[in-house]
Amino acid sequence: MTITGGARKIIERGGWLSMWKGNGTSVLHRFPYSAINFYCYENALDVLIGAQRRREGSDGDENEGNGNATPLIRFMAGAFAGSTACIACYPLDLIRTRLTTQLPGKEHYKGITDALQKIIQSDGPTGLYAGLGPTLLVAVPNFAISYTVYGTLKEYVLEDDLFYNVRKIDIGTGEERLGFSATLLCGAASGIMSTVITFPFDTVRRRMQIQSLHISRENWLTGREHFTKILRCEGKKGLYRGIQPEILKVIPMVATMFTCYEYLKRQLKVR
């Protein structure tokens, strides 16, 4: 099914508003998720860079901030941030997925609160973390790769004279920084790369999250069983089913996310 065909089918089933089904839960999920993510990333960078300086026997320049972080440090900090935010906000992610995948006329949940209560009643508190394993396999490398690619590209653009025309000079400090378009492009590139690498795990994650809506508990499959079943029945293409709309979503989302991140860092004077 094409993107246009899928959009048309969704609209036919539930009208135009169905294109935003589960958006309320998604917004509630994003606020703490992004906040925890960036908070953990910045603090992890500080700790790891400080440890590196102590190991090298150098105090470094306190004004350097995290600009001298190596790709490995960015990867480790991104992995820590992604796993922490994922575990903390996973119940909302699960509810969002189940609300979004309900068929019109066959709704099992009436809303966020109803979904929360029914999941706990039927599966217990641990039901709120169904599919957490595959989700961590997505979130940890996704954010690790995203932060690493973005930070490395940013460093390259700021240092290479080829990109002098897309850099800006900060009026307050006199330091060079990425321009608006360069920030968007670096963010978009990091989102594309992380999505392409981790998408097979995301496919398994989504199927684990919604299996309780379609099959009885005794027939539930583990992440590994879902993975092998997809390969057996659908081939490698099955692992990347739906990647086109995902990339179309990720490009503006991650580009905007890093643009806001850089803007707020300047406004809050975070180095």
Side-chain angles (χ1 to χ4, degrees), residues 63 168-177 266 269 271:
N63 294 322
K168 299 284 185 181
I169 302 296
D170 192 292
I171 298 176
T173 62
E175 295 179 350
E176 284 189 320
R177 61 178 176 82
R266 292 196 301 273
K269 295 181 173 56
R271 301 185 65 82

Side-chain angles (χ1 to χ4, degrees), residues 44-169:
L45 274 185
D46 290 341
V47 171
L48 292 170
I49 291 174
Q52 181 186 43
R53 288 172 178 168
R54 289 193 297 273
R55 188 167 57 251
E56 294 173 351
S58 171
D59 293 332
D61 184 353
E62 291 183 358
N63 294 322
E64 285 182 351
N66 57 39
N68 59 346
T70 64
L72 178 60
I73 285 178
R74 292 194 184 101
F75 188 90
M76 292 170 64
F80 171 72
S83 58
T84 304
C86 179
I87 293 171
C89 303
Y90 187 76
L92 280 173
D93 184 39
L94 176 70
I95 291 172
R96 176 190 60 176
T97 302
R98 293 197 178 182
L99 287 175
T100 305
T101 54
Q102 291 185 119
L103 296 175
K106 298 181 180 179
E107 290 87 355
H108 189 65
Y109 308 115
K110 297 178 181 178
I112 299 172
T113 305
D114 183 59
L116 181 65
Q117 292 174 344
K118 287 183 177 177
I119 291 172
I120 293 175
Q121 288 173 359
S122 62
D123 305 326
T126 56
L128 293 171
Y129 285 88
L132 177 62
T135 301
L136 286 173
L137 287 176
V138 176
V140 174
N142 187 291
F143 279 100
I145 294 168
S146 188
Y147 281 120
T148 303
V149 172
Y150 176 79
T152 304
L153 287 176
K154 175 184 175 181
E155 191 176 86
Y156 180 70
V157 171
L158 288 175
E159 293 179 354
D160 198 303
D161 291 337
L162 180 65
F163 301 101
Y164 76 93
N165 58 329
V166 297
R167 298 196 289 259
K168 299 284 185 181
I169 302 296

Side-chain angles (χ1 to χ4, degrees), residues 112-245:
I112 299 172
T113 305
D114 183 59
L116 181 65
Q117 292 174 344
K118 287 183 177 177
I119 291 172
I120 293 175
Q121 288 173 359
S122 62
D123 305 326
T126 56
L128 293 171
Y129 285 88
L132 177 62
T135 301
L136 286 173
L137 287 176
V138 176
V140 174
N142 187 291
F143 279 100
I145 294 168
S146 188
Y147 281 120
T148 303
V149 172
Y150 176 79
T152 304
L153 287 176
K154 175 184 175 181
E155 191 176 86
Y156 180 70
V157 171
L158 288 175
E159 293 179 354
D160 198 303
D161 291 337
L162 180 65
F163 301 101
Y164 76 93
N165 58 329
V166 297
R167 298 196 289 259
K168 299 284 185 181
I169 302 296
D170 192 292
I171 298 176
T173 62
E175 295 179 350
E176 284 189 320
R177 61 178 176 82
L178 293 184
F180 178 74
S181 59
T183 305
L184 284 175
L185 289 173
C186 290
S190 71
I192 292 172
M193 184 168 293
S194 59
T195 297
V196 169
I197 293 174
T198 61
F199 194 79
F201 298 107
D202 196 40
T203 301
V204 173
R205 174 187 73 91
R206 292 178 188 275
R207 296 200 181 190
M208 287 193 70
Q209 286 182 330
I210 65 173
Q211 63 181 347
S212 66
L213 297 177
H214 306 289
I215 58 178
S216 57
R217 188 182 183 88
E218 58 269 17
N219 293 320
W220 286 8
L221 301 179
T222 63
R224 179 179 294 181
E225 289 170 341
H226 272 292
F227 188 85
T228 55
K229 183 179 179 180
I230 292 170
L231 281 178
R232 185 176 65 252
C233 300
E234 305 173 40
K236 293 180 181 178
K237 288 184 178 180
L239 293 172
Y240 285 91
R241 177 176 291 180
I243 194 172
Q244 291 179 333

